[in-house]
Amino acid sequence: MGTTMVNTGLWGARLHHFDTLPSTNQWMIEHMGSCAHGDVVRAISQTAGRGRFQRPWIAPAGLCLTFSVLFRRGADDWLHPVIGQAAALAVLAALEPYAVPALLKWPNDVLVHERKIAGILAEKTPDGHGVVLGIGLNVNLAEADLAAIQLLQPATSMWIETGLPLDIEAIFAGLLGALQSTLDQVMQNGKPYLLECWRPHDALAGRPISIHTADTTISGLYTGMDVEGRLCLKDDTGRAHTFWAGDVSIRHRDAPRDR
Ligand code: BTN
């Protein structure tokens, strides 16, 4: 059986393909004037891939999936604040056929055995009305490739988790299909449905965590994600907090330091 090659974006929109770009998110932001809702831009390698909090996202050429999707202003704008979470669910669905036991870490990381396998970056378009959703999935990275990269947190790949090198084109096709169907289902069933799908796979459930924002760090017990996509936490004095954004670290009960 031949490889399934993707030739369209979401909902039949266009796929823009590049061997190299600085960043697919940046390309989409710069070209949104000529792109439509659902257009996808993919690059085999990025020279300035970026992650959350302006951190670099390093993905060696040909070993990872790196692409971005444009969501324009429209009838389903309510979805924009939780689009990263919906995308994380789609990554989980795309990993399922490969029996990779992934979990979700708020706001939208995908972890396997507490190592990150995929990162998602949702950025508002400069006009403030749309969203560019960028996904990076580690496919055929070996442990030696990861060792060569300066990582801010432990990472893994589909190859490491399955023991097999995988067909990246088939994984791209599966992930775009999963993204479209997850978004369709969330648009049809609303945010409570998204939360219902998230809960059984929540890597933070019952865990002591710290959340770091631009102004503060607060530690306590994770009490879940709410229906708006906010992180909920009870601090050590029993006070409840909610966060729209932040960087979460899991506190290990037997370790004095955050990881
Ligand atoms: C994170 O976990 O910090 C988010 C990482 C997002 C990386 C992807 S790769 C495709 C797209 N283009 C970018 O420059 N970033 C996102």
Side-chain angles (χ1 to χ4, degrees):
M1 218 168 63
T3 298
T4 327
M5 292 296 286
V6 174
N7 49 29
T8 65
L10 296 191
W11 304 293
R14 277 188 300 166
L15 172 68
H16 309 262
H17 187 281
F18 293 89
D19 286 339
T20 304
L21 281 178
S23 149
T24 56
N25 267 37
Q26 189 58 33
W27 184 91
M28 192 56 98
I29 285 169
E30 285 168 6
H31 294 82
M32 61 170 286
S34 56
C35 289
H37 183 72
D39 270 21
V40 172
V41 56
R42 178 182 174 197
I44 301 303
S45 76
Q46 298 185 120
T47 53
R50 59 180 182 241
R52 296 175 63 234
F53 306 108
Q54 298 301 324
R55 291 175 183 146
W57 180 261
I58 300 164
L63 302 182
C64 303
L65 270 176
T66 48
F67 66 95
S68 304
V69 189
L70 177 65
F71 296 90
R72 283 195 170 283
R73 175 183 217 166
D76 295 304
D77 290 5
W78 59 268
L79 183 66
H80 291 180
V82 290
I83 213 149
Q85 279 98 342
L89 280 171
V91 172
L92 210 71
L95 291 175
E96 212 175 82
Y98 301 90
V100 174
L103 290 174
L104 304 166
K105 176 175 172 250
W106 187 92
N108 47 38
D109 283 346
V110 184
L111 308 181
V112 183
H113 306 124
E114 304 212 352
R115 296 161 80 185
K116 187 154 156 170
I117 197 164
I120 292 165
L121 178 66
E123 297 183 289
K124 270 200 164 154
T125 54
D127 65 7
H129 298 307
V131 175
V132 172
L133 173 74
I135 301 182
L137 174 62
N138 295 340
V139 180
N140 284 329
L141 289 166
E143 294 282 8
D145 298 311
L146 290 171
I149 302 171
Q150 295 241 308
L151 291 169
L152 292 164
Q153 52 187 310
T156 188
S157 73
M158 292 181 73
W159 185 1
I160 291 169
E161 298 302 328
T162 60
L164 299 167
L166 296 158
D167 177 349
I168 201 160
E169 298 311 318
I171 289 160
F172 185 44
L175 179 49
L176 279 192
L179 188 57
Q180 184 172 311
S181 69
T182 303
L183 292 168
D184 284 341
Q185 283 166 18
V186 175
M187 286 184 295
Q188 213 177 322
N189 299 303
K191 288 180 190 164
Y193 168 81
L194 186 142
L195 184 57
E196 209 177 288
C197 296
W198 184 276
R199 275 201 187 119
H201 309 284
D202 193 335
L204 300 179
R207 310 284 300 261
I209 60 164
S210 295
I211 180 161
H212 315 275
T213 67
D215 323 311
T216 179
T217 293
I218 295 187
S219 298
L221 195 65
Y222 174 77
T223 54
M225 180 171 82
D226 73 9
V227 76
E228 299 304 329
R230 290 174 297 201
L231 177 137
C232 306
L233 151 78
K234 200 175 263 187
D235 73 19
D236 299 335
T237 69
R239 192 168 150 224
H241 303 259
T242 55
F243 296 87
W244 283 109
D247 199 21
V248 173
S249 53
I250 300 171
R251 291 187 298 150
H252 290 261
R253 287 185 173 91
D254 51 352
R257 281 183 348 113
D258 284 352
R259 275 178 55 172

